[in-house]
């Protein structure tokens, strides 16, 4: 019970923040302290950075910003997300609150009510609006940046920094992040570039997380927390199992321990009766439970719904089939009827012939059993149905890849990790503490569960201490991936000029972090210089300059070592021997050679040279880090001047016609696209061929994907244009290499033939066979192709090419590609 002073303080705070109080009263849950602090900061007119665990309720703060905007007649609020799926989900949630007339959605391929007062969008859309000076920005008061830790993403991260740097200063920014270890550093940067920013960090999960290890058919606690969470130690039983193998006995010591530990806990906790593992020297191998058995174990233990994270799409689909073959059914008759109704409603727009190709009937039957897969290879509408049914507690077990952990609102009672490593395209690597936290963060439904459960399935060679370390570390650092691009450069030059553009780039988080690192490095240099001066004094010699003498000795020693190691050509060896003799003579004639304390001085000299070598290396690091972003920008400008996108000198730079065209071209290959347009390389292409060409420019093959090379590419005009574009890429690649810029990836033709067939009206089954690709993957790349074709239809100066781009866009945007679940 709170004291009178605490109650008075709370009442006074509530009276000073009436909007926070009104908003809080409308919520289903009492707001947590960090949510209240963030809302009150917004009400005071400040921006906020909120860093909190997955499932802690960060989005409440973003929703409060929208609430504030709607209290006035003209203010707007934008809600940005890193993914279209997240945007779609948030759009539906806000429509339920404010009605369809007040909420819009902009995701590149979807445009719904774009002039609404509340608009949900991907971050790229907002960046493009800022560069274009869109009228939709008028009245913008709040911008929510959900999952702002995406700023570290190597490919898409720079967009977040562009938005933060270019938003008008009177716009309040609500940055929502996973728990990162350097939230204060990121907040300091936000305060520097945006002003008036409060950093609010919470490391408390609203639903406590219980950690388990599944050993055969036994759920053992990961931690022995009888002494309290603060002093939790790894369960010693797990170490005994690892070192000794095990056999099962009834009523063992482990059973008694677990029974005592869990006495009085909620009924939903896993039962601890039954057999328990004890050591047995003759049993080394621990058999893993099959997936159907694990599902049934969780069902008996009242631990469903559960998400099983399997780091493979094939593994997710195989898991569903295993459960299906085992005859498991987790739903009641009434639940199956409800599932069928939802599926029918959400898929009614899909054609019957496509449903057969997509395996619809088996997928629906699996849903009715209460099980489903969830991964990027699935059709978007299928994933949306799985998410909706899981949220409604109709689907009880979902087998998912780690992409499910990235923001989609799908909390579960239990999260199961089958393995603690995954294939990254090149090798099997252990998951990081950040990944573990993100995955297990799904466990525990606020207002439903007393606690969430994370279950790690035992594997041969598992180290319980390593698992415990992952479970104990909650944070990971947020590091900028910002770098200037050609599109960014022309937009900055057009809006601000070169000098101001450099200032803006030097304000980036990337430079902020580099400068902070320089501070630490400079301190090291200062400390080293003091030591170097001390070494110089220690080696002082009354006979002469001992530093000069020590340098001769050092050079002589290095040459003698090299001579012993490397015989080399006779001429080189003779030259080296001559140099050695010269150095010996110089050393013997040097005044310090006769000093009686020579060797003592020499030891100090060795320390001096060793420290100086390290100090020189640090100085080079400082030189490289100081102004790195602006120097990269200068190199980008040099390339743009060579290819005539920018003219002039110094701060008097101006865009040429080609530069003005590039302002509207966004993507990894922006310069290649602009140059191909200017050179008329695609003028002769028909609509399907232009769609195939656009696909070559946006497609990124998976690292483990076998390259099909250029076999099967459309012939005729397409092949001529493709070869010309490839030659152009090679020329630009050489130019970038000469200017020490990151080189652009070459064209990727792996999906071109299938996209050509699709744009010509080919059937879905034929196209998916040609693509050798899952439907969800094909839809994703088709939408990327549509994005580029849309840009071409706008920026192409050749009217015929612009019309071809629009026809190509219409040819691609049909069937399952055109369907939107929103």
């Amino acid at each position: 019970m709170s004291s009178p002073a605490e109650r008075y303080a709370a009442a006074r705070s509530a009276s000073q923040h009436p909007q926070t109080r009104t908003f809080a009263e409308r919520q289903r849950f009492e707001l947590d302290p960090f949510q209240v602090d963030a809302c009150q900061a917004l009400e005071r007119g400040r921006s906020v950075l909120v860093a909190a665990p997955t499932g802690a309720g960060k989005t409440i703060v973003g929703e409060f910003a929208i609430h504030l905007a709607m209290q006035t007649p003209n203010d707007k609020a934008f809600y940005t997300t890193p993914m279209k799926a997240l945007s779609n989900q948030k759009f539906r949630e806000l429509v339920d609150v404010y009605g369809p007339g007040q909420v819009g959605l902009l995701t590149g391929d979807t445009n719904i009510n774009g002039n609404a007062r509340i608009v949900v969008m991907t971050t790229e859309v907002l960046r493009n609006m800022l560069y274009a000076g869109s009228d939709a920005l008028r009245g913008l008061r709040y911008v929510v940046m959900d999952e702002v830790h995406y700023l570290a993403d190597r490919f898409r991260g720079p967009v977040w920094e562009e938005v933060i740097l270019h938003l008008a200063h009177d716009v309040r920014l609500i940055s929502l992040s996973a728990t990162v270890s350097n939230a204060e550093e990121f907040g300091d940067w936000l305060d520097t570039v945006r002003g008036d920013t409060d950093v609010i960090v919470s490391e408390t999960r609203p639903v406590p997380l219980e950690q388990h290890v599944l050993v055969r058919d036994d759920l053992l606690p990961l931690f022995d927390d009888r002494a309290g969470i603060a002093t939790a130690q790894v369960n010693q039983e797990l170490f005994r199992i690892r070192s000794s193998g095990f056999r099962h006995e009834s009523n063992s010591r482990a059973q008694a321990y677990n029974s005592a530990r869990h006495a009085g806990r909620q009924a939903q906790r896993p039962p601890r009766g039954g057999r328990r593992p004890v050591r047995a020297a003759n049993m080394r191998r621990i058999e893993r439970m099959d997936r159907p058995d694990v599902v049934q174990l969780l069902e008996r233990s009242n631990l469903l719904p559960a998400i099983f994270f399997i780091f493979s799409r094939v593994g997710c689909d195989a898991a569903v089939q295993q459960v299906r073959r085992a005859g498991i059914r987790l739903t009641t008759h009434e639940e199956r009827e409800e599932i069928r109704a939802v599926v029918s409603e959400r898929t009614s727009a899909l054609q019957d012939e496509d449903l057969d190709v997509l395996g619809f009937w088996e997928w629906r039957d699996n849903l009715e059993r209460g099980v489903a897969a969830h991964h990027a290879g699935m059709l978007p509408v299928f994933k949306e149905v799985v998410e909706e049914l899981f949220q409604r507690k109709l689907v009880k077990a979902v087998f998912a890849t780690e992409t499910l952990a990235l923001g989609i609102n799908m909390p579960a009672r239990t999260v199961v990790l089958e393995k603690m490593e995954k294939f990254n395209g090149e090798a099997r690597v252990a998951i990081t503490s950040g990944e573990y936290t993100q995955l297990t963060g799904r466990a525990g439904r606020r207002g439903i569960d007393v606690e969430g459960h994370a279950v790690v399935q035992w594997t041969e060679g598992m180290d319980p201490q390593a698992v415990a370390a992952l479970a104990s570390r909650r944070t990971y650092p947020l590091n900028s991936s910002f770098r200037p691009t050609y599109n960014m450069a022309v937009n900055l030059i057009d809006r601000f000029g070169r000098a101001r553009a450099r200032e803006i780039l030097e304000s980036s988080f990337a430079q902020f972090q580099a400068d902070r690192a320089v501070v630490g490095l400079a301190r090291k240099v200062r400390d080293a210089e003091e030591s170097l001066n001390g070494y110089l004094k220690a080696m002082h010699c009354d006979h002469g300059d001992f530093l000069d003498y020590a340098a001769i000795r050092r050079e002589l020693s290095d040459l003698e070592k090299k001579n012993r190691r490397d015989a080399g050509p006779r001429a080189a060896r003779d030259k080296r021997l001559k140099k050695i003799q010269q150095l010996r003579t110089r050393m013997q004639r040097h005044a310090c050679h006769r000093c009686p304390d020579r060797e003592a001085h020499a030891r100090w000299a060795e320390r001096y040279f060793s420290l100086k070598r390290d100090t020189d290396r640090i100085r080079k690091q400082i030189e490289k880090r100081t102004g790195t972003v602006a120097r990269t920008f200068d190199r980008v400008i040099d390339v743009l001047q060579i290819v005539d996108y920018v003219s002039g000198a110094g701060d008097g730079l101006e865009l040429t016609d080609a530069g003005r065209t590039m302002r509207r071209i966004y993507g990894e290959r922006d310069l290649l696209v602009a140059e191909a347009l200017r050179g008329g390389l695609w003028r002769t292409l028909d609509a399907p061929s232009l769609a195939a060409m656009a696909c070559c420019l946006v497609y990124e093959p998976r690292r483990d994907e076998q390259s099909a090379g250029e076999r099967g590419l459309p012939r005729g005009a397409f092949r001529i244009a493709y070869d010309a574009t490839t030659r152009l890429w090679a020329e630009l690649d050489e130019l970038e290499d000469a200017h020490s810029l990151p080189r652009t990836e070459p064209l990727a033709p792996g999906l071109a033939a299938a996209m050509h067939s699709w744009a010509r009206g080919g059937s879905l089954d034929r196209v998916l066979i040609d693509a050798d690709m899952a439907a969800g993957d094909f839809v994703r790349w088709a939408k990327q192709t549509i994005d580029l074709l849309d840009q071409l239809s706008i920026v192409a100066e050749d009217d015929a090419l612009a019309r071809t781009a629009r026809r190509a866009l219409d040819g691609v945007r049909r069937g399952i590609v055109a369907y939107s679940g929103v």
Side-chain angles (χ1 to χ4, degrees):
M1 185 174 177
S2 58
S3 68
E6 289 172 333
R7 291 197 297 274
Y8 170 75
R12 187 163 183 259
S13 177
S15 67
Q16 293 173 341
H17 302 94
Q19 293 293 346
T20 300
R21 185 183 68 247
T22 301
F23 178 77
E25 288 170 351
R26 296 178 183 174
Q27 305 308 308
R28 292 185 297 127
F29 311 114
E30 181 179 352
L31 296 189
D32 290 332
F34 85 90
Q35 295 168 325
V36 173
D37 290 346
C39 292
Q40 290 180 349
L42 281 172
E43 193 169 353
R44 293 194 301 270
R46 300 180 65 81
S47 295
V48 294
L49 165 64
V50 181
T54 301
K58 297 183 289 290
T59 56
I60 283 287
V61 182
E63 291 164 8
F64 177 69
I66 294 170
H67 167 81
L68 288 178
M70 298 304 285
Q71 302 311 300
T72 62
N74 300 313
D75 283 355
K76 289 183 176 180
F78 288 173
Y79 197 108
T80 73
T81 77
M83 295 181 292
K84 293 178 182 179
L86 269 176
S87 294
N88 294 343
Q89 187 178 76
K90 202 67 200 178
F91 171 74
R92 290 192 292 267
E93 292 174 3
L94 291 172
V95 165
D96 290 341
V97 176
Y98 294 99
Q102 298 284 13
V103 186
L105 176 67
L106 298 173
T107 61
D109 59 340
T110 303
N111 186 337
I112 301 173
N113 200 16
N115 291 316
R117 292 182 58 198
I118 306 167
V119 185
V120 183
M121 62 186 68
T122 53
T123 317
E124 283 85 354
V125 169
L126 179 54
R127 186 271 312 272
N128 299 351
M129 291 170 67
L130 288 167
Y131 279 150
S134 171
D135 290 340
L137 297 170
R138 290 179 185 169
L140 181 60
R141 179 63 175 159
Y142 300 96
V143 168
V144 182
M145 301 194 78
D146 202 354
E147 308 284 340
V148 75
H149 50 271
Y150 258 82
L151 179 143
D153 184 80
R154 187 164 63 95
F155 296 107
R156 301 176 59 204
V159 175
W160 271 253
E161 291 193 48
E162 289 180 81
V163 169
I164 292 168
L165 290 170
H166 294 314
L167 275 174
H169 277 277
D170 60 346
V171 175
R172 297 295 88 189
L173 189 66
I174 300 88
S175 304
L176 308 178
S177 171
T179 309
V180 292
S181 52
N182 59 336
E184 287 77 11
E185 179 188 42
F186 184 49
D188 287 348
W189 173 69
L190 288 172
D191 192 67
T192 300
V193 296
R194 304 289 314 164
D196 297 334
T197 300
D198 287 357
V199 179
I200 296 163
V201 177
S202 172
E203 297 185 5
T204 304
R205 283 177 50 94
V207 181
L209 182 65
E210 286 287 313
Q211 311 266 359
H212 310 277
V213 178
L214 177 58
V215 185
R216 214 172 201 174
D217 60 350
D218 212 10
L219 278 170
L220 295 177
L222 175 59
F223 294 106
D224 178 356
D225 58 1
R226 287 173 292 180
I229 296 295
T231 58
Q233 300 292 321
V234 181
N235 186 354
Q236 294 301 304
E237 189 69 28
L238 296 172
F239 289 114
R240 285 191 286 273
I241 291 169
R242 182 172 189 252
S243 61
S244 304
F246 73 94
R247 57 187 172 84
H248 277 102
E249 288 183 359
S250 299
N251 302 316
S252 70
R253 178 167 51 84
Q255 179 182 355
Y257 156 67
N258 279 304
S259 297
R261 177 176 178 268
H262 294 282
R265 296 276 182 115
Q266 297 294 324
Q268 65 173 260
R269 299 295 303 278
R272 300 298 184 182
R275 300 168 298 171
R276 285 295 180 266
V278 295
R279 288 176 290 173
N282 64 338
M283 292 187 66
R284 293 287 178 180
R285 184 166 183 81
I286 300 173
E287 296 180 4
R288 288 165 58 91
M289 290 185 77
D290 291 334
R291 285 164 178 155
D293 294 332
V294 177
V295 171
Q296 290 179 315
L297 172 66
L298 296 181
E299 184 184 26
R300 289 194 305 271
S301 305
N302 197 23
L303 290 179
L304 295 179
I307 298 173
F308 293 71
F309 281 110
I310 300 173
F311 303 117
S312 153
R313 299 178 183 184
V314 173
C316 292
D317 293 332
V320 173
Q321 291 304 315
Q322 288 168 5
V323 174
R324 176 190 179 88
R325 286 196 298 270
I328 292 175
R329 193 177 292 278
L330 305 172
T331 53
T332 65
H333 175 75
E334 291 75 17
E335 287 173 331
R336 289 194 288 276
E337 290 294 323
E338 192 174 348
I339 289 169
R340 187 178 286 258
V342 171
V343 171
S344 298
E345 178 188 351
R346 296 296 300 277
T347 61
S348 59
L350 297 177
Q351 300 175 8
D352 288 344
E353 57 269 27
D354 289 346
L355 292 178
D356 285 331
V357 175
L358 297 168
F360 170 82
W361 311 108
E362 185 175 296
W363 171 74
R364 188 182 69 177
D365 183 63
N366 291 332
L367 290 176
E368 291 179 20
R369 292 173 178 270
V371 297
H374 189 290
H375 56 72
M378 294 171 60
L379 197 65
V381 64
F382 282 17
K383 287 194 295 182
E384 291 168 13
V385 169
V386 172
E387 292 159 13
E388 180 178 346
L389 294 176
F390 194 80
Q391 290 165 10
R392 291 168 66 165
K393 308 178 208 174
L394 297 171
V395 165
K396 321 287 181 159
V398 170
F399 299 89
T401 56
E402 67 267 35
T403 54
L404 178 58
L406 301 177
I408 298 294
N409 182 25
M410 274 183 67
R413 175 167 291 174
T414 304
V415 163
V416 179
L417 300 182
E418 291 194 351
K419 294 181 179 177
M420 302 301 287
E421 62 179 19
K422 64 179 183 177
F423 185 68
N424 66 1
E426 297 173 357
R428 299 206 70 83
V429 296
I431 64 173
T432 65
S433 60
E435 289 169 331
Y436 183 91
T437 301
Q438 192 85 0
L439 295 168
T440 58
R442 293 276 154 214
R445 299 165 299 173
R446 189 168 186 171
I448 302 174
D449 298 320
V450 174
E451 58 201 6
H453 298 270
V455 176
V456 176
Q457 197 163 4
W458 184 275
T459 56
E460 276 310 303
M462 176 182 284
D463 180 2
Q465 189 65 56
V467 178
L470 286 179
S472 301
R473 287 197 297 269
R474 300 290 184 207
T475 58
Y476 52 94
L478 176 61
N479 294 313
S480 172
S481 59
F482 186 79
R483 62 179 177 83
T485 65
Y486 298 111
N487 171 271
M488 186 192 304
V490 294
N491 275 291
L492 288 173
I493 291 296
D494 186 49
R495 293 186 64 192
F496 305 111
R498 184 172 193 158
R500 175 65 182 137
R502 287 180 107 259
E503 290 177 12
I504 290 171
L505 294 174
E506 286 176 339
S507 299
S508 67
F509 187 44
Q511 192 59 56
F512 185 83
Q513 287 189 306
D515 289 344
R516 284 206 164 186
V518 164
V519 171
L521 292 172
R523 188 180 300 114
K524 286 184 179 180
V525 169
R526 286 195 300 273
D527 293 343
E529 285 173 344
E530 291 181 14
S531 297
L532 288 170
N533 289 330
Y535 295 160
L536 283 172
K537 290 177 182 177
M539 76 172 83
H540 174 72
C541 180
D542 294 334
H543 289 70
D545 184 353
F546 200 90
L547 189 63
D548 178 56
Y549 176 74
I552 296 171
R553 278 180 55 143
R554 192 178 185 85
E555 185 179 0
L556 175 60
S557 176
D558 289 344
L559 277 175
E560 288 175 337
K561 287 177 184 176
K562 187 173 183 181
N563 197 52
R564 287 193 295 269
R565 278 197 317 266
D566 178 24
R570 178 66 179 269
R573 196 165 66 248
D574 289 346
K575 186 177 180 180
R576 192 184 306 125
L577 287 170
K578 184 178 180 181
K579 178 68 174 175
I580 288 172
Q581 188 57 48
Q582 290 172 344
L583 288 170
R584 282 178 181 159
T585 302
R586 283 181 60 196
M587 181 183 71
Q588 291 165 359
R589 291 177 178 176
H590 199 287
C592 293
H593 191 63
R594 294 183 296 278
C595 176
D597 297 323
R598 181 185 68 196
E599 294 309 313
H601 294 332
R603 284 192 290 273
W604 286 109
E606 282 303 309
R607 296 176 189 175
Y608 174 89
F609 282 116
S610 176
L611 181 58
K612 187 175 185 303
R613 182 183 63 243
D614 293 341
T615 306
D616 289 343
R617 177 177 51 78
I618 294 173
R619 283 196 176 101
K620 287 181 180 178
Q621 289 180 339
I622 292 174
E623 185 180 340
K624 286 180 180 178
R625 293 188 181 201
T626 304
T628 50
V629 178
R631 286 204 303 273
T632 302
F633 173 73
D634 289 338
R635 293 197 294 270
V636 168
I637 293 298
D638 290 342
V639 169
L640 290 172
Q641 285 182 306
I642 291 171
V643 294
D644 196 31
Y645 282 67
V646 174
S647 62
D651 196 33
L653 292 179
E654 293 183 351
L655 301 186
T656 63
D657 289 342
R660 282 186 283 276
T661 297
M662 178 176 273
R663 289 178 309 174
R664 305 289 296 276
I665 299 174
Y666 303 98
E668 287 291 307
R669 299 182 177 92
D670 47 7
L671 182 58
L672 177 60
V673 171
E675 280 289 87
L677 284 176
R678 184 164 66 163
L681 302 188
W682 305 333
R683 191 177 295 138
T684 61
L685 297 179
D686 60 12
S689 297
L690 186 59
M693 181 62 68
C695 183
C696 291
L697 292 161
V698 301
Y699 180 53
E700 297 170 9
R702 291 161 61 96
R703 281 182 290 183
D704 56 349
E705 184 177 316
Q706 295 295 320
S707 174
E710 298 176 3
R711 297 191 307 275
L713 290 181
R715 299 196 174 275
F718 174 85
R719 192 54 189 255
I720 295 170
Y722 176 83
D723 290 342
T725 307
T726 300
R727 287 193 297 272
L728 174 60
W729 167 81
E731 294 169 6
L732 295 176
D733 184 60
E734 288 183 9
L735 184 60
E736 289 174 328
D737 186 42
H739 285 80
S740 302
L741 288 172
R743 296 160 78 170
T744 307
E745 290 293 320
L747 277 69
L751 193 55
M755 195 61 68
H756 185 270
S757 174
W758 179 254
R760 288 176 58 199
S763 65
L764 178 62
D765 59 341
R766 183 71 257 169
V767 167
L768 293 182
I769 290 171
D770 291 343
D772 190 22
M773 183 176 288
D777 290 324
F778 179 75
V779 169
R780 185 170 71 257
W781 292 119
K783 290 190 173 183
Q784 296 272 351
T785 301
I786 288 170
D787 285 346
L788 180 54
L789 289 171
D790 187 42
Q791 293 178 41
L792 297 180
S793 72
I794 295 169
V795 303
E797 296 180 359
D798 185 327
D799 290 341
L801 181 61
R803 288 193 296 272
T804 302
R806 284 190 287 273
R807 288 196 300 273
L809 190 154
D810 292 337
V812 176
R813 190 164 55 195
R814 66 181 183 84
I816 62 170
V817 176
Y819 177 79
S820 172
V822 175

